[in-house]
Amino acid sequence: MTAGETAGAPASGYQDQVAQICDSYDNDPHRMLDILRDVQDRFRWIARETMQTVAEKTGLTQIAVEGVASFYAFLSLAPKGRITIRLCDDIVDQFAGLPEVTESFEKALGIGIGETTSDGGFSLEYTPCIGMCDQAPAAMINDVIVTNLTPEKTRALVAALKSGKRPEDLISPDFDDLTPHQRAVTMVENNIRHAGAVLLGPAAPDAGLKNALDLTPSRIIKELEDSGLRGCGGAGFPTGRKWRFAAETEAERRFVICNADEGEPGTFKDRVLLTERPHLLIEGMTIAARAVGAREGLLYLRGEYIYLRDLLEEVLADRRARGLLGDGIMGVDGFDFDIRLQLGAGAYICGEEGALISSCEGLPGEPKTRPPFPVTRGYLGFPTVVNNVETLCHAARILDRGSKWFFDMGTEGSHGTKLFSVSGDCLNPGIYELPYGLSLKELLEMAGGEDAAAVLVGGPSGAMIARDTFDRKLTFDDLATGGAITVFSKDRNVLEIVEYYMSFFVHESCGYCTPCRVGNVLLQKAVAKFREGLANPEDIAYLKDLSGTIIETSRCGLGMTSPNPILSTLENFPLVYSAMAKPSKDRIRDTFDIQSAIDGARKLAKRRSYVFDRDFSQ
Amino acid sequence: MSDFTFTIDEIEIPAKEGQTIMEAADAAGVYIPRLCDHEGLRHQGGCRVCTVKAAGRSVSACTQPAEPGLAVENETPHINKLRRDLVEMLFHEGNHLCPICEASGNCELQAMAYRLDMTEPTRFPYLEPCRPVDASHPDIALDTNRCISCGRCIRASQDVDQKGVFGYVGRGIHRHVAANGPDLAHTDAEITDFAISDEVCPVGCIIRKRVGFVTPIGEREFDKGLIGRKISEKRNA
Ligand SMILES: Cc1cc2nc3c(=O)[nH]c(=O)nc-3n(C[C@H](O)[C@H](O)[C@H](O)COP(=O)(O)O)c2cc1C
Ligand code: SF4
Ligand code: FES
């Protein structure tokens, strides 16, 4: 019996197993996230004793190891069950029946959310958006994804697991015989609703890479600059300019990192590209490497997408075997480039490029001080290009078809096509590849969401839009978005949506800086006051004021955008707030709740109030 | 010799290549409020109290490089309001009961509140953390309910003492300073460490046993004058 089979203190002999894990990563502290992921998999938690061994092997202090272990949601400092069920608790899942599904899991397992069964068999927990909003409610069962959950389906799943089936067996009885791609598409639907000319239509394999080899690095970058391509991860930075900065920085090593963290709630386009266009993505990374002079690359895959790991490893191996990765790519002497897959472990902030680099370095996923920017000092201090999955796929296509072809699509300032992830209250949730410049209304018509009352464009860090402005255009200059389009019908409660997203940001703030760490908690509490009917009209000004401070003083993009759900709904749905706020009349504050006001003091004093307790006999 | 100059609130500041706005300002005797930054330690850039406007953008002065000709706004009503909000947030995140705290009068958080004129009742709810106090060490106690996450002890222990007694654990609102082991008694912390000295912890989180109240209230550092005066005095001199 290995230590992993008992949920408790690690059994004797654990040191050897932990040491073995560390050895398999050359005891390299920069591989801490991989080491701790493996320890978690083996023992189902990271005990203090195991941290001590990891610290000794990697030459770090125990507190440094604990800092990493306690940062990531998928690493645990308490024993977890053999099977961990993580229900996606995104608001889209909640509206698609998550409460009933949760109840059914809880009943079938006999535990609540956040608990582990006493036999160490199962843990049940909530996790934010796992990128399956088009087939919600969805969950991760260990490394397997299950979608379109219902209470009946849930009961059947638990019964099968209890009878000794592996999570993989839930997907297909022949799971082991399927190819990695078959496994992925059996678990998760692609839901490609509209294929455009650039990414999801037909494309000649590695044609872009072949062309790139005939060009100087500077010409490759020029091609991208001329195409007008801008980053698809949300910030929209011109890709060619980013590559040029990295290429022009003197350095011994340079890196290309693909950002496949896709954590913005409501976004799932990268999932589809990783599944259906993995070669195009690696081709794009290889072209980037050629352009900036990088020999090493990393593909940072969010922990939630672990079900795509085998597929991606297979693609990498295949390309190495065909001379498309490794030394002397396509027979070009000195063109050496290879890619390592880095898995995340449940942290939205790791999508921020500095935090992503920290995470790749084996640190807690905290953003880095800027300047310096990654293009001058990135991974391990070397110039690093970080690009989104979609951006890199576009780059490969641009090198194939030319900058003019791409530039001519879309609109002024927003060239080419964009993948939109549409989910929520619409008939056809899924992926739409469209040229920039369509109106939100046109997209909603395609997706069968024209009855929407509110649409969240760009996820919670974007903006909530009301019906009267659905004619706005999906471009960088109007409604900029990393691609998330979340549709809400008139039956949805706007304040419930806002409160959920604020709790998301509270959960995902890294905690490094004061305004985001503390301010978001204060915002969440203030929104809760509105929902409970305990807000005053002054609280509207309070929300705006506090939001302003958080936006202006936060250290990274998370805090700079986290008040957006509040600010955009205050602007576009003002009645939702004013209807809930109660003005004070004649020196009496309706919203003042004496019971909750004295509750803290009551607990401290360990006695009840004769004056204010309604029923003292209770 | 300076390489170039820039301005803070229209005062000309000489600076050297590679200096941050705050380093150059300190040398020139212009005080920029700060909590997580401390002379001689690496910059963290976490408290954000040093927020200034540089060329119209809000940045942290302790990490932002000075640039030739940069126009920096420091003590404007708007910026001081942001700083007051941040200091209020720190007061509400922890349990800061000045009247019963040994650090009162030496506390930089308290002193910053005075400097920023935080005299009205605050608007935020209290978060009231409830972490156990670590009194295991014979000479040192640690009450992280008063921690403001400046991380000065972490950097002092790592970089000056070469030890690593402290580190951050957790994420978001749960992130806090912790000792390298089950408690402080199981670390190699010593009362003579720089990290434990009275200049490192700005509040009453790291407590030296048996020396409390040796300096009576009323005669403490910030009883004598505003925080930052030592830097501004350089310029006036
Ligand atoms: C909180 C936060 C989360 C982010 N998450 C992602 C993400 O999941 N995927 C992504 O590509 N970019 C994300 N970004 C943007 C990245 O920081 C970075 O701008 C992007 O990866 C650059 O690639 P691009 O220029 O190709 O878009 C995030 C930014 C912030 C502030
Ligand atoms: S804004 Fe600050 S606390 Fe929030 S994620 Fe960024 S660095 Fe961390
Ligand atoms: S002093 Fe600059 S952020 Fe704290």
Side-chain angles (χ1 to χ4, degrees):
Chain A
M1 185 171 189
T2 70
E5 278 150 19
T6 62
S12 60
Y14 73 87
Q15 282 109 328
D16 291 345
Q17 296 185 44
V18 174
Q20 233 174 41
I21 291 174
C22 295
D23 286 339
S24 71
Y25 296 102
D26 297 331
N27 300 309
D28 182 354
H30 295 127
R31 302 299 297 277
M32 186 56 69
L33 188 51
D34 300 288
I35 292 173
L36 293 180
R37 281 197 61 104
D38 284 4
V39 171
Q40 175 78 38
D41 277 352
R42 183 85 55 95
F43 301 98
R44 287 184 278 112
W45 67 307
I46 300 170
R48 195 173 277 287
E49 295 88 334
T50 54
M51 282 193 257
Q52 189 54 47
T53 311
V54 172
E56 281 160 17
K57 290 288 286 180
T58 54
L60 296 182
T61 56
Q62 187 191 309
I63 189 78
V65 177
E66 190 179 342
V68 181
S70 60
F71 187 88
Y72 295 93
F74 291 180
L75 304 178
S76 163
L77 302 187
K80 278 279 150 71
R82 276 184 293 278
I83 292 175
T84 295
I85 299 170
R86 296 193 170 92
L87 300 175
C88 174
D89 76 349
D90 190 80
I91 195 76
V92 170
D93 297 64
Q94 293 188 33
F95 292 156
L98 177 67
E100 295 76 21
V101 168
T102 302
E103 200 192 313
S104 153
F105 267 115
E106 288 179 332
K107 265 212 194 110
L109 294 169
I111 50 172
I113 293 288
E115 293 177 353
T116 298
T117 54
S118 54
D119 65 353
F122 295 89
S123 294
L124 185 63
E125 48 191 62
Y126 276 144
T127 194
C129 183
I130 61 171
M132 305 290 155
C133 318
D134 54 336
Q135 39 212 300
M140 299 177 70
I141 303 187
N142 286 355
D143 296 348
V144 159
I145 304 283
V146 288
T147 63
N148 292 316
L149 291 171
T150 58
E152 301 76 61
K153 196 166 168 181
T154 298
R155 280 191 290 276
L157 289 177
V158 173
L161 290 170
K162 279 189 169 168
S163 76
K165 290 223 161 83
R166 302 172 306 159
E168 289 76 8
D169 302 328
L170 307 175
I171 302 305
S172 159
D174 317 313
F175 189 85
D176 296 334
D177 303 327
L178 301 180
T179 65
H181 180 264
Q182 285 168 334
R183 291 177 195 172
V185 294
T186 312
M187 281 186 240
V188 178
E189 299 266 352
N190 284 321
N191 286 331
I192 297 173
R193 306 286 181 183
H194 191 275
V198 183
L199 297 174
L200 297 174
D206 296 304
L209 180 56
K210 280 192 204 96
N211 289 343
L213 291 179
D214 295 335
L215 301 176
T216 63
S218 182
R219 271 294 308 168
I220 299 174
I221 295 175
K222 179 82 177 24
E223 203 59 30
L224 281 189
E225 286 168 341
D226 292 348
S227 72
L229 174 63
R230 292 168 66 172
C232 305
F237 193 83
T239 308
R241 200 187 309 164
K242 183 183 282 188
W243 290 14
R244 192 165 301 281
F245 282 139
E248 284 172 355
T249 308
E250 282 298 317
E252 275 172 34
R253 293 164 80 184
R254 293 192 184 77
F255 291 88
V256 170
I257 301 186
C258 169
N259 187 342
D261 196 55
E262 187 153 73
E264 189 71 32
T267 315
F268 47 88
K269 64 183 179 73
D270 294 342
R271 175 196 93 203
V272 174
L273 288 173
L274 291 163
T275 310
E276 294 305 324
R277 293 290 180 272
H279 282 280
L280 188 65
L281 167 63
I282 309 299
E283 183 191 348
M285 287 181 76
T286 313
I287 293 169
R290 178 75 177 163
V292 305
R295 297 162 58 92
E296 295 151 278
L298 290 114
L299 171 51
Y300 190 92
L301 183 69
R302 68 187 307 222
E304 291 81 348
Y305 288 175
I306 191 169
Y307 78 102
L308 294 171
R309 175 171 56 183
D310 291 349
L311 183 160
L312 293 167
E313 289 287 13
E314 188 185 64
V315 167
L316 293 175
D318 172 61
R319 295 182 72 86
R320 283 182 199 114
R322 292 196 286 131
L324 297 169
L325 276 181
D327 289 349
I329 290 174
M330 284 188 156
V332 177
D333 205 32
F335 181 20
D336 309 338
F337 178 65
D338 211 332
I339 296 170
R340 163 167 90 76
L341 191 70
Q342 172 69 61
L343 267 168
Y348 164 69
I349 186 58
C350 289
E352 193 279 338
E353 57 186 4
L356 181 119
I357 291 169
S358 298
S359 189
C360 290
E361 292 170 337
L363 299 168
E366 287 164 353
K368 298 202 182 268
T369 299
R370 301 152 73 94
F373 294 90
V375 283
T376 49
R377 279 179 58 85
Y379 181 63
L380 305 179
F382 296 106
T384 303
V385 162
V386 180
N387 273 129
N388 174 257
V389 173
E390 185 182 352
T391 314
L392 289 161
C393 290
H394 277 307
R397 294 289 288 143
I398 289 166
L399 265 292
D400 175 12
R401 300 294 303 273
S403 53
K404 185 169 183 314
W405 171 75
F406 190 85
F407 187 87
D408 288 344
M409 285 180 263
T411 63
E412 177 75 43
S414 306
H415 301 278
T417 64
K418 177 85 194 83
L419 295 187
F420 296 99
S421 320
V422 184
S423 68
D425 298 316
C426 61
L427 292 174
N428 307 308
I431 296 294
Y432 296 77
E433 183 189 0
L434 300 165
Y436 276 111
L438 251 69
S439 70
L440 179 56
K441 188 157 172 243
E442 287 167 297
L443 177 54
L444 288 174
E445 275 162 12
M446 291 178 80
E450 49 275 74
D451 292 339
V455 177
L456 185 66
V457 179
S461 54
M464 186 84 120
I465 305 297
R467 273 195 88 80
D468 53 346
T469 50
F470 283 177
D471 53 355
R472 287 178 64 182
K473 298 262 185 286
L474 295 159
T475 62
F476 285 108
D477 303 318
D478 191 357
L479 280 177
T481 164
I485 305 286
T486 317
V487 185
F488 298 104
S489 77
K490 65 174 185 355
D491 302 327
R492 307 303 183 194
N493 177 343
V494 169
L495 283 177
E496 182 182 355
I497 299 168
V498 172
E499 193 186 7
Y500 170 74
Y501 286 132
M502 292 320 296
S503 72
F504 167 78
F505 285 125
V506 168
H507 190 259
E508 298 302 327
S509 161
C510 83
Y512 194 109
C513 73
T514 310
C516 172
R517 181 182 72 242
V518 186
N520 282 316
V521 177
L522 302 177
L523 280 182
Q524 187 200 4
K525 285 182 182 288
V527 174
K529 256 175 84 178
F530 276 91
R531 281 201 72 201
E532 289 158 15
L534 297 176
N536 305 301
E538 303 90 270
D539 287 322
I540 292 176
Y542 169 83
L543 281 175
K544 286 186 186 160
D545 184 64
L546 177 54
S547 296
T549 300
I550 297 171
I551 289 172
E552 198 171 341
T553 59
S554 281
R555 181 167 179 263
C556 86
L558 192 152
M560 289 173 194
T561 56
S562 61
N564 284 356
I566 294 177
L567 292 181
S568 65
T569 49
L570 274 172
E571 190 181 331
N572 299 325
F573 302 86
L575 293 179
V576 168
Y577 290 85
S578 54
M580 291 301 283
K582 296 191 190 113
S584 308
K585 50 175 191 269
D586 196 19
R587 290 192 297 149
I588 295 170
R589 240 188 180 183
D590 267 351
T591 54
F592 181 68
D593 176 11
I594 183 69
Q595 296 300 330
S596 68
I598 64 169
D599 201 46
R602 187 157 47 199
K603 282 205 190 95
L604 277 179
K606 293 201 171 64
R607 63 185 174 82
R608 304 172 65 100
S609 160
Y610 287 91
V611 182
F612 292 114
D613 278 332
R614 271 170 288 223
D615 181 358
F616 192 68
S617 65
Q618 268 178 17
Chain B
M1 266 310 290
S2 66
D3 297 336
F4 59 86
T5 64
F6 67 104
T7 62
I8 299 181
D9 293 340
E10 271 138 49
I11 301 164
E12 186 155 17
I13 310 285
K16 293 196 187 65
E17 201 61 53
Q19 264 185 329
T20 64
I21 293 174
M22 186 184 284
E23 285 162 352
D26 280 1
V30 171
Y31 179 69
I32 300 173
R34 87 264 334 243
L35 285 173
C36 69
D37 208 71
H38 190 71
E39 207 183 335
L41 298 180
R42 265 181 296 133
H43 308 300
Q44 174 177 272
C47 75
R48 313 310 281 179
V49 169
C50 69
T51 297
V52 293
K53 264 204 174 145
R57 273 191 336 119
S58 298
V59 295
S60 55
C62 67
T63 60
Q64 188 71 22
E67 284 169 46
L70 197 67
V72 176
E73 291 171 39
N74 175 30
E75 301 246 29
T76 67
H78 173 70
I79 291 171
N80 277 331
K81 190 269 177 197
L82 296 176
R83 291 173 178 159
R84 200 158 51 232
D85 280 355
L86 294 168
V87 169
E88 278 190 30
M89 286 183 200
L90 290 170
F91 266 101
H92 285 255
E93 180 187 25
N95 300 334
H96 297 284
L97 306 163
C98 301
I100 58 149
C101 181
E102 202 282 317
S104 184
N106 289 323
C107 172
E108 293 179 30
L109 181 68
Q110 183 190 43
M112 196 61 72
Y114 281 122
R115 182 182 173 109
L116 295 172
D117 218 10
M118 198 180 108
T119 46
E120 284 176 21
T122 52
R123 309 163 300 164
F124 303 143
Y126 286 96
L127 303 186
E128 296 173 337
C130 195
R131 290 193 270 267
V133 174
D134 177 357
S136 61
H137 192 284
D139 302 319
I140 312 158
L142 189 67
D143 180 358
T144 58
N145 299 300
R146 295 175 184 162
C147 177
I148 58 167
S149 293
C150 70
R152 281 156 50 166
C153 57
I154 300 176
R155 286 167 283 150
S157 184
Q158 262 172 18
D159 301 346
V160 181
D161 302 327
Q162 308 287 326
K163 279 187 174 178
V165 169
F166 301 104
Y168 284 119
V169 296
R171 173 168 105 188
I173 193 68
H174 304 293
R175 182 182 193 257
H176 63 97
V177 162
N180 181 32
D183 56 28
L184 263 186
H186 287 82
T187 67
D188 51 356
E190 289 167 287
I191 191 76
T192 48
D193 287 354
F194 178 60
I196 309 298
S197 71
D198 59 1
E199 71 171 272
V200 169
C201 178
V203 291
C205 171
I206 298 177
I207 302 153
R208 288 157 298 282
K209 292 183 178 175
R210 292 180 297 280
V211 296
F213 297 102
V214 165
T215 311
I217 303 267
E219 293 170 27
R220 297 178 163 204
E221 175 60 20
F222 304 118
D223 294 331
K224 295 178 208 152
L226 282 186
I227 188 169
R229 66 186 185 283
K230 285 186 182 147
I231 288 173
S232 343
E233 276 160 11
K234 272 196 255 174
R235 181 156 171 270
N236 300 336

